[in-house]
């Protein structure tokens, strides 16, 4: 049905009407006190969400642009980096490192499995010469619905002393607790179309004092993604290049709403959307790619058993109920479907999606106890 | 007055209500046939505006990001480049070249003066060893309101044979005739918040076959700004990274409106907004930074004579009439004000701005024949 789309993908996520109306306001000039006030307020709220006193910089770019900026501003050619790779995004950050001539070491796990913190500990402890300049980890691996154990990996990085902890928090920040200062994360990148619940086009990077110290000698070439320029101008409540004005106005609106909800509520306290989704999938006889202990709060990757096809389920959900879920990426294409549950998504949305999935499975002649998904395991 | 702002700055430019409403539509998934159709249509219309069959790629970035991409994808470390520098943006592209270790040669003119095509001819003809890999020119230099003679400079570049012609068309494309294929321009960068009349956040780069040939061996590091990735995915009506969905929907809406108007009408046929603005400024006794022969179609830089202060005029226009004009940049700060007249700006807007300027000058006790600005020199 026209305009009836319900987004249950890992981004873009649904956007509140108030945010859309903020987005639609006629733009104002960006070199004005009025815009500077909005910009400064948005940054203050970003710091609140990041639980940090560090700089949080705003780029007109996707999450990939933000993460690339987070990597290339603090490293030099030939630097040794450890990159966790258990999905499409871990792979991507290793590719970025390769593109810039870093000495890239991949610590791998299968898609659906978490990264092994022990592998990081061993590599970091063996590095007595302190040659490792950075450890790069994707917190919530969107391609597989896995939440990596950032806290433990970061503890090993802290013990190492030299290495910077660089985090892709694109689908964790705002959906999962990421206490940037408490953990001492050096670089944390995220993107607007995820838990921020605004349309895509903005990337965010939080940068620690330790990372800024590394910036002084880092020599990888950059200009548009030069975070030093953003930092310098942010101190004057402005930007080095024309900012994505309307998206920043929308960001301010959405962050205001998030503040009203409060940190404790937006970090999915139990029973979470995640838990409800996972319990329902199990009750419906569907498999889960990630185990419960490493489940992303943003996205659940579902493995239909033999006799059910992921793409058929997705298509039916879309055609009959106007619900969009995501397919699998790369080698998981056709093997999983992925339900997003982050951003402006309420318990009602999760219930709705599960009820529709139940009806869809019935339509595909999949047998399970009727109502298995929704009522018993509903969020309360 | 609240919400009464009238933007007469060189970007962001006013945005049509229909475009703002398109921007505010709830986002759809970007990996869907629905989005691909919008994306493909927007690109077809971009090609129409560029008058080209070349690829035109869309980035989630400001114009600077697009121009940097246009430079770094087609060059290698140590390459020799000529950069025209007669304002803030010419300076910027030279800085980008320096940041990437290119051998940068600046061909300078004063702010307000056009680049001298002869200087380019001499340098290019002297280069019998064909060491010049690219010539970089800002078509409309926004900081000074100067339209550089791209056509003539490009003719010298074509005679050289090897060098790529790279153009910052950020405030010319859509305001001035830029026939990309007829002139054989290799790289043409522009940005959404200018003549496109949508909010900032999108950058565009048109790329010729000759530039793509150079891409094969170009070795400057890049990932988010790697145009080869955008080209590969554009062939499948999609993008390598999450696109700025809502801005692309708005882009499609605005380009649709521009097509209805027609190329001949949007390239300011005489009497143009530019001519009307310039004639009015002269009649009001104000000076112009650029001469008539090299006047930008996007922006007019006005030099108040002794006894008038640029910043006082700007402030009064803003406070009394809610009209925003831009100040001078860098060493022109306080010495000029700049009136934008591109994007969704009609003859009525130009008349309005001039009438308000006239009233403002009267308020500042500046004497001139009453009505000197508007009635005699009005656009017809």
């Amino acid at each position: 049905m026209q305009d009836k789309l319900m987004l249950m993908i890992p981004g873009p996520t649904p956007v509140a009407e108030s945010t859309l109306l903020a987005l639609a306001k006629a733009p104002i000039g960006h070199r004005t006190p009025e815009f500077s006030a909005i910009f400064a307020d948005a940054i203050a709220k970003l710091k609140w969400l990041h639980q940090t006193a560090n700089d949080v910089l705003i780029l007109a770019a996707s999450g990939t642009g933000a993460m690339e900026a987070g990597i290339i501003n603090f490293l030099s050619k030939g630097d040794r980096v450890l990159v966790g790779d258990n999905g499409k995004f871990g792979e991507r950050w290793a590719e970025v490192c390769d593109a810039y001539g870093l000495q890239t070491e991949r610590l791998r796990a299968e898609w659906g499995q978490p990264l092994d913190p022990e592998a990081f500990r061993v590599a970091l402890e063996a590095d007595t010469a302190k040659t490792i300049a950075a450890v790069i980890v994707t917190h919530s691996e969107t391609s597989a619905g896995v939440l990596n154990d950032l806290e433990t990996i970061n503890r090993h990085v802290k013990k190492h002393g030299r290495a910077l902890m660089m985090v892709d928090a694109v689908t964790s920040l705002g959906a999962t607790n990421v206490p940037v200062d408490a953990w001492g994360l050096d670089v944390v990148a995220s993107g607007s179309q995820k838990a921020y619940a605004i349309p895509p086009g903005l990337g965010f990077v939080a940068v620690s004092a330790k990372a800024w110290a590394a910036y002084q000698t880092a020599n990888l070439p950059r200009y548009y993604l030069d975070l030093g320029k953003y930092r310098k101008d942010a101190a004057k409540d402005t930007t080095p290049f024309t900012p994505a004005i309307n998206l920043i106005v929308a960001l301010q609106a959405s962050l205001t709403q998030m503040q009203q909800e409060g940190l404790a509520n937006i970090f999915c306290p139990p029973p979470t959307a995640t838990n409800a989704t996972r319990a329902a999938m199990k009750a419906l006889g569907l498999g889960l790619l990630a185990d419960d202990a490493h489940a992303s709060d943003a996205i659940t990757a579902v493995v239909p058993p033999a006799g059910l096809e992921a793409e058929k389920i997705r298509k039916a959900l879309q055609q009959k109920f106007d619900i969009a879920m995501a397919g699998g990426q790369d080698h998981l294409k056709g093997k999983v479907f992925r339900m997003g549950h982050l951003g402006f998504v309420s318990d009602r949305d999760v219930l709705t999606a599960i009820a529709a999935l139940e009806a869809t499975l019935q339509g595909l002649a999949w047998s399970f106890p009727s109502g298995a998904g929704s009522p018993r395991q509903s969020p309360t």
Side-chain angles (χ1 to χ4, degrees), chain A:
Chain A
M1 198 182 291
Q2 177 83 26
D3 289 340
K4 202 63 178 169
L5 178 67
M6 181 178 181
L7 283 176
M8 298 297 283
I9 60 179
T13 57
V15 179
E17 185 193 59
S18 53
T19 304
L20 289 173
L21 293 176
L23 183 69
K25 276 189 72 75
I28 61 174
H30 51 293
R31 305 297 183 211
T32 60
E34 293 74 20
F35 181 74
S36 284
I38 294 168
F39 184 71
D41 186 50
I43 286 186
K45 290 177 161 72
L46 282 172
K47 290 184 182 183
W48 162 80
L49 189 64
H50 284 73
Q51 305 175 64
T52 190
N54 289 344
D55 294 302
V56 184
L57 307 169
I58 304 178
L59 280 69
S62 78
T64 295
M67 187 63 185
E68 177 175 339
I71 295 171
I72 68 174
N73 276 272
F74 309 106
L75 296 171
S76 296
K77 198 166 178 182
D79 271 353
R80 185 179 169 204
V81 293
L82 302 185
V83 184
D85 173 4
N86 63 331
K88 190 168 182 64
F89 291 91
E91 261 179 22
R92 181 172 290 179
W93 313 134
E95 284 175 14
V96 168
C97 295
D98 288 344
Y100 281 86
L102 301 177
Q103 189 186 327
T104 315
E105 290 173 33
R106 291 156 168 84
L107 296 186
R108 288 201 172 90
E110 288 299 307
W111 292 34
Q113 296 298 314
L115 295 171
D116 179 12
E118 272 303 286
F120 286 84
R121 184 187 64 73
V122 169
L124 287 159
E125 285 187 359
D127 180 36
T128 50
K130 306 297 176 193
T131 59
I132 299 173
V135 174
I136 301 174
V137 165
T138 300
H139 192 194
S140 165
E141 178 49 78
T142 312
S143 59
V146 167
L147 191 72
N148 285 310
D149 185 357
L150 175 62
E151 189 175 4
T152 303
I153 295 171
N154 176 61
R155 209 176 302 128
H156 300 316
V157 173
K158 286 280 149 301
K159 259 192 205 147
H160 178 272
R162 178 194 167 189
L164 295 170
M165 180 76 244
M166 299 180 168
V167 183
D168 162 5
V170 173
T171 56
S172 68
L173 210 125
T176 299
N177 189 23
V178 186
V180 172
D181 284 1
W183 288 0
L185 306 174
D186 294 303
V187 174
V188 179
S190 56
S192 56
Q193 78 279 16
K194 308 295 186 179
Y196 295 94
I198 68 170
L202 295 181
F204 312 105
V205 199
V207 181
S208 74
K210 184 177 172 185
W212 285 124
Y215 174 87
Q216 296 305 322
T217 55
N219 69 11
L220 296 179
R222 50 195 142 68
Y223 193 89
Y224 183 65
L225 297 180
D226 185 341
L227 294 179
K229 296 186 196 299
Y230 290 84
R231 181 194 207 192
K232 192 175 153 217
D233 282 7
K236 298 174 284 179
D237 297 331
T238 188
T239 57
F241 313 116
T242 306
I245 298 167
N246 292 50
L247 283 167
I248 289 174
V249 172
L251 172 69
Q252 186 196 29
S254 190
L255 286 171
T256 299
Q257 196 173 341
M258 288 172 86
Q259 273 196 334
Q260 283 159 2
E261 222 174 315
L263 277 188
N265 290 316
I266 59 179
F267 294 153
C268 307
T272 65
T274 309
N275 290 346
T277 301
R278 297 176 64 85
M281 296 300 174
K282 289 177 196 168
L284 292 169
L286 305 178
L288 297 169
L289 187 64
D291 63 34
D292 288 346
H294 305 96
S296 164
D297 291 309
I299 173 118
T300 299
V302 182
V303 190
L308 278 176
E309 286 176 44
E311 288 306 294
K312 269 196 184 162
I313 296 171
R314 281 217 308 141
K315 200 167 287 178
L317 275 169
Q318 174 84 51
Q319 285 178 349
K320 193 146 186 203
F321 298 111
D322 299 296
I323 296 177
M325 293 195 187
Q329 292 172 291
D330 295 353
H331 67 271
L332 290 183
K333 209 166 180 168
K335 297 196 179 131
V336 303
F337 66 88
R338 296 175 301 146
M339 175 170 151
H341 34 72
L342 80 166
F344 187 61
V345 167
S346 70
D347 288 350
R348 188 184 78 205
D349 297 320
V350 173
L351 271 179
T352 302
I354 291 169
L357 178 61
E358 192 171 326
T360 297
L361 293 176
Q362 280 172 330
L364 293 171
W366 179 250
S367 77
F368 53 86
S370 177
S374 317
R376 284 191 312 156
Q377 311 287 347
S378 68
T380 53

